[in-house]
Amino acid sequence: MTLQGWFLILLFVGILLALTKPVGLWLHALYEGRRTPLHVVLGPVERGFYRLAGVDPSAEQGWRRYALHMLLFNVALLVFTYAVLRLQGLLPGNPQGLAGLSPDLAFNTAVSFTTNTNWQSYGGEATMSNLSQMLGLTIHNFLSAATGIALAFALFRGFARREAKAIGNFWADVTRVTLYLLLPICVLYTLFLIASGVPQTLAGVVDVQTLEGARQSILLGPVASQEAIKMLGTNGGGFFNANSAHPFENPTALTNLVEMLSIFLIGFGLTWTFGKAVGNTRQGWAILAAMVILFLAGVTVTYWQEAVGNPVLHQLGVAGGNMEGKEARFGIAASALFSVVTTAASCGAVNSMHDSFTALGGMIPLFNIQLGEVVIGGVGAGIYGFLLFAILAVFVAGLMVGRTPEYVGKKIESREVKLAVLAIAVLPLMILGFSSLSAVLQQGLAGPLNKGPHGFSEILYAFTSAVGNNGSAFAGLTANTPYYNGLLGVAMWVGRFFIIVPMLAIAGSLAAKKYTPESAGSFPTTGGLWVGLLVGIVLILGGLTFLPSLALGPIADHLAMIRGQLF
């Protein structure tokens, strides 16, 4: 580890902390439906969408109606994308003449982008036409991210409102987030990427002459526009197979830093928005503090393990850290930081191959996802996922002080605790269930490229990434088969919507409750004790649930490496 590496990590966190309140203020304006400076230009566009769709943005919805409209919207987008991918060979915007996708791959990809997972069982530049990238996939990068933020707003209203029956209007929330947040930032972001050397063209291929005199065909496309929302919306699907290790997606050290910052930007801001919504910004800062502690712990372990390197190679005279699978332009510190950022935020973009990390260095990205999108998390999904853990934490705190649990003025009763447990239990049930199934079936065992514990880690990482809606991969699993495409598609759908519906039920239940003022007997939820309890609940639940599977995978892999055995 080097001072330069630690300076990068601390600079990264410092910039985000400085941006938390400004971003949170803007998000709070959208949460409340207030007018922003952009309304002068985009207000008529917003009203035009409402008229075209027959939507009254002032007509608020109860949690059931909100959930129903959200589900119907996403099912419609799923079907649309599936059709675009299947018919790709017949549609325009296909300069390379690529054929339509197979049924299982089209299903997997449509589900993946609908759920903000962006898992890719294919090589982007060799499989997707420009039209499919723009119309079939990039549209989801905006709308799945907007859906996540809208759902976070709905839960915020549940905590903030008193004896209310409604939690907002889904259509108004998604429209405002897309028009006044994601789209304007992405326009500026795209221009920055183009100026940095990222291509933005409808051309498919350009032929060039190399320095050696050979002819080479270089694939191009509308990369910059997809890259911007890919990062800002914590989507992660790369235009190119190498993702953010490709120089056309991530050409410089500056773009690498900006891409990492944009992954966390909205997640940091939403914590402040939550505090403002419930009338106490210290509540938001407490949640952010717990998230940052978990994040920094993960970065420390990953950076340390990658900097130490592989002892087997050291014995052979190869000194230094672990550079296998890393982009030489960025090095160990930037690669380790990127890997923890992308898995802490359920983004899935990568600038190095996690399969080539050391065993414990690769375990941290895996464990980040297993914690359930709570270490910053995806846009919207991170904060509402963390609030589910907060409900459990305040329940435990209530037991300790002998009072009915209270959080930000709302009593947490059996209904909310049961729904929170139901939502949180989805991840381990699906991850461990599908991983164990694939570890014994012939179709599942045909996927890993490595044997032993490392091969098991490849299977475990795939289903962890799918259920956790992350999208990154260990890169050592052959997943483009009917078995994995189908099962991973189901895992992604369940991992997204089987958590959302109970969460919205909690929002509706909380909104209907009276406000309960804090008293001398209330457990404080803004100080260091509360932050420590939040971190402890997340780690204990995650550790107890996934430690056996981690022991069979990366931990066993690490112990074997110490003994000189590699897989």
Side-chain angles (χ1 to χ4, degrees), residues 426-427 430-431 434 462-469 491-492 495-496 499:
V426 167
L427 265 75
M430 299 299 292
I431 291 171
F434 283 158
F463 286 104
T464 299
S465 180
V467 179
N469 297 140
M492 288 184 278
R496 175 76 162 178
I499 293 175

Side-chain angles (χ1 to χ4, degrees), residues 7 32 136 196 225 237 243 250 263 276 285 296 307 345 360 368 416 468 497 520 525 547 552 558:
F7 176 76
E32 291 192 327
S196 301
S225 57
N243 208 281
N250 191 7
I263 293 172
K276 182 68 172 177
W285 287 117
L296 288 176
L360 295 187
N368 275 344
E416 292 78 37
F497 297 106
T525 56
L547 181 59
L552 292 172
H558 177 74

Side-chain angles (χ1 to χ4, degrees), residues 32-45:
E32 291 192 327
R34 289 189 279 110
R35 186 176 178 85
T36 70
L38 293 178
H39 274 72
V40 176
V41 177
L42 297 176
V45 178

Side-chain angles (χ1 to χ4, degrees), residues 235-252:
N235 295 283
F239 191 96
F240 298 101
N241 190 41
N243 208 281
S244 289
H246 197 293
F248 281 179
E249 288 198 29
N250 191 7
T252 68

Side-chain angles (χ1 to χ4, degrees), residues 148-419:
I149 298 171
L151 293 166
F153 286 174
L155 184 57
F156 293 176
R157 296 185 186 109
F159 281 107
R161 293 183 174 181
R162 307 175 185 181
E163 300 180 80
K165 296 181 179 179
I167 57 172
N169 184 298
F170 172 74
W171 305 108
D173 286 339
V174 168
T175 302
R176 288 167 184 156
V177 168
T178 303
L179 279 180
Y180 301 113
L181 178 71
L182 300 178
L183 191 60
I185 295 177
C186 283
V187 169
L188 297 176
Y189 196 171
T190 300
L191 293 175
F192 162 74
L193 291 174
I194 293 172
S196 301
V198 178
Q200 181 68 19
T201 176
L202 295 179
V205 180
V206 59
D207 293 323
V208 298
Q209 185 172 350
T210 67
L211 294 176
E212 293 81 9
R215 300 293 296 177
Q216 181 178 352
S217 295
I218 298 178
L219 297 172
L220 301 173
V223 184
S225 57
Q226 180 164 316
E227 190 72 16
I229 187 59
K230 157 193 166 181
M231 296 300 187
L232 184 67
T234 62
N235 295 283
F239 191 96
F240 298 101
N241 190 41
N243 208 281
S244 289
H246 197 293
F248 281 179
E249 288 198 29
N250 191 7
T252 68
L254 179 60
T255 60
N256 192 62
L257 176 62
V258 171
E259 288 182 9
M260 288 191 292
L261 289 170
S262 61
I263 293 172
F264 270 8
L265 183 66
I266 295 175
F268 267 63
L270 279 169
T271 61
W272 194 92
T273 303
F274 170 72
K276 182 68 172 177
V278 298
N280 184 355
T281 55
R282 292 179 63 195
Q283 297 286 353
W285 287 117
I287 288 175
L288 182 58
M291 289 178 169
V292 171
I293 289 171
L294 291 167
F295 167 69
L296 288 176
V299 170
T300 300
V301 174
T302 300
Y303 184 23
W304 164 48
Q305 285 295 302
E306 296 309 298
V308 169
N310 190 325
V312 177
L313 296 180
H314 295 170
Q315 293 174 6
L316 297 174
V318 182
N322 177 33
M323 281 298 294
E324 180 189 344
K326 293 182 176 62
E327 169 56 64
R329 294 175 299 150
F330 304 131
I332 291 175
S335 298
L337 177 59
F338 201 114
S339 72
V340 179
V341 168
T342 194
T343 51
S346 74
C347 176
V350 294
N351 74 350
S352 56
M353 297 301 104
H354 297 176
D355 188 51
S356 295
F357 276 37
T358 61
L360 295 187
M363 183 184 72
I364 296 303
L366 173 61
F367 190 55
N368 275 344
I369 310 171
Q370 290 175 340
L371 291 179
E373 288 194 305
V374 298
V375 188
I376 309 303
V379 285
I383 184 66
Y384 69 64
F386 204 97
L387 287 173
L388 294 176
F389 279 92
I391 288 172
L392 295 185
V394 82
F395 173 71
V396 172
L399 295 177
M400 291 193 297
V401 299
R403 285 175 53 94
T404 300
E406 300 168 6
Y407 187 50
V408 295
K410 294 296 179 74
K411 287 187 176 182
I412 304 300
E413 297 174 301
S414 62
R415 174 177 170 81
E416 292 78 37
V417 174
K418 290 175 183 176
L419 287 168

